[in-house]
Amino acid sequence: KGDAEMNKNHAYFDHDKDGANSGWLPIYGFMTTFEGNGRSVRNLYINRPTTDNVGLIGYAISNAQTAAIIRNVSVDGSLLSVTGRHAVGTLIGMLNVGGETTLTNTAQSGLVTGTGSWIGGTVGYITLSGGTLTFDANTGSAAIVSQHGITGGLTGLVQQQQGGGAANFTNNISNANVSGGITGGIIGILSSGDANIFFNTNSSSGF
């Protein structure tokens, strides 16, 4: 009934039990509703610099039969640190939009680092493959770091795949500090034939 606050004394800090302290093992194959009820996940720690699809949820997917919905949750805390290779974000590493997908009223802060590319404050990599994404009222104030990769304050890359799909970004706010080879305040790179971006606020720095 309260917030989830993590620290190094929790078993997840060395989930692999190999002494490497790789932290939280991301959730893969997420295809349901995550209702945060206004609560927070605090001090998320992931240190997996050679792993793709890294975040609280590593890989989320929707299809024509099942929606993916994440809403009303914050991922924050002064100790938050998420590190992966490609497709890295605090909330989701890789999001495959094959059906109705909603991310709304989420907030992120802390440090997000990618040793590769497609790094974002909320989601690392969004692929549109036939579904519709509603990305609304999300706030990001993380430090997004990649030496040469594609980075964005809220998401690193939005890409339309064969089969199409649509993305609607509305009422989002990015106060992120973004660094990388190609950077964007809201989105690092938008590669989509059907995307609507309205009423978003970008005050990110570090371009």
Side-chain angles (χ1 to χ4, degrees), residues 62-142:
S62 64
N63 59 31
Q65 291 73 42
T66 307
I69 300 170
I70 300 174
R71 61 193 178 205
N72 306 321
V73 64
S74 297
V75 184
D76 54 27
S78 60
L79 301 179
L80 185 147
S81 178
V82 175
T83 299
R85 186 172 60 177
H86 301 306
V88 183
T90 56
L91 190 56
I92 304 173
M94 165 74 83
L95 174 60
N96 188 328
V97 180
E100 294 299 315
T101 306
T102 300
L103 271 76
T104 185
N105 196 30
T106 73
Q108 297 78 37
S109 62
L111 175 63
V112 184
T113 303
T115 58
S117 195
W118 316 319
I119 319 301
T122 307
V123 184
Y125 184 174
I126 298 171
T127 177
L128 306 175
S129 54
T132 300
L133 170 66
T134 299
F135 197 100
D136 178 68
N138 301 290
T139 302
S141 57

Side-chain angles (χ1 to χ4, degrees), residues 183-198:
T183 63
I186 301 288
I187 302 170
I189 286 184
L190 174 64
S191 176
S192 170
D194 191 1
N196 300 304
I197 303 176
F198 300 116

Side-chain angles (χ1 to χ4, degrees), residues 6-200:
M6 307 175 186
N7 61 53
K8 66 181 181 180
N9 296 318
H10 291 118
Y12 94 97
F13 194 78
D14 189 18
H15 179 277
D16 300 339
K17 302 188 187 308
D18 58 1
N21 291 336
S22 298
W24 174 262
L25 180 67
I27 299 166
Y28 293 101
F30 177 93
M31 185 190 286
T32 185
T33 296
F34 180 2
E35 172 58 73
N37 290 314
R39 300 295 186 177
S40 297
V41 177
R42 293 202 175 118
N43 298 331
L44 176 66
Y45 175 79
I46 306 174
N47 183 27
R48 300 176 181 273
T50 61
T51 301
D52 298 340
N53 306 332
V54 169
L56 179 68
I57 299 168
Y59 181 73
I61 185 172
S62 64
N63 59 31
Q65 291 73 42
T66 307
I69 300 170
I70 300 174
R71 61 193 178 205
N72 306 321
V73 64
S74 297
V75 184
D76 54 27
S78 60
L79 301 179
L80 185 147
S81 178
V82 175
T83 299
R85 186 172 60 177
H86 301 306
V88 183
T90 56
L91 190 56
I92 304 173
M94 165 74 83
L95 174 60
N96 188 328
V97 180
E100 294 299 315
T101 306
T102 300
L103 271 76
T104 185
N105 196 30
T106 73
Q108 297 78 37
S109 62
L111 175 63
V112 184
T113 303
T115 58
S117 195
W118 316 319
I119 319 301
T122 307
V123 184
Y125 184 174
I126 298 171
T127 177
L128 306 175
S129 54
T132 300
L133 170 66
T134 299
F135 197 100
D136 178 68
N138 301 290
T139 302
S141 57
I144 319 298
V145 179
S146 175
Q147 186 173 4
H148 302 296
I150 299 167
T151 59
L154 296 181
T155 183
L157 176 65
V158 180
Q159 186 170 42
Q160 191 175 58
Q161 303 290 347
Q162 187 174 6
N168 300 299
F169 283 74
T170 53
N171 307 306
N172 301 289
I173 299 173
S174 176
N175 300 309
N177 189 313
V178 186
S179 63
I182 298 174
T183 63
I186 301 288
I187 302 170
I189 286 184
L190 174 64
S191 176
S192 170
D194 191 1
N196 300 304
I197 303 176
F198 300 116
F199 309 116
N200 300 284

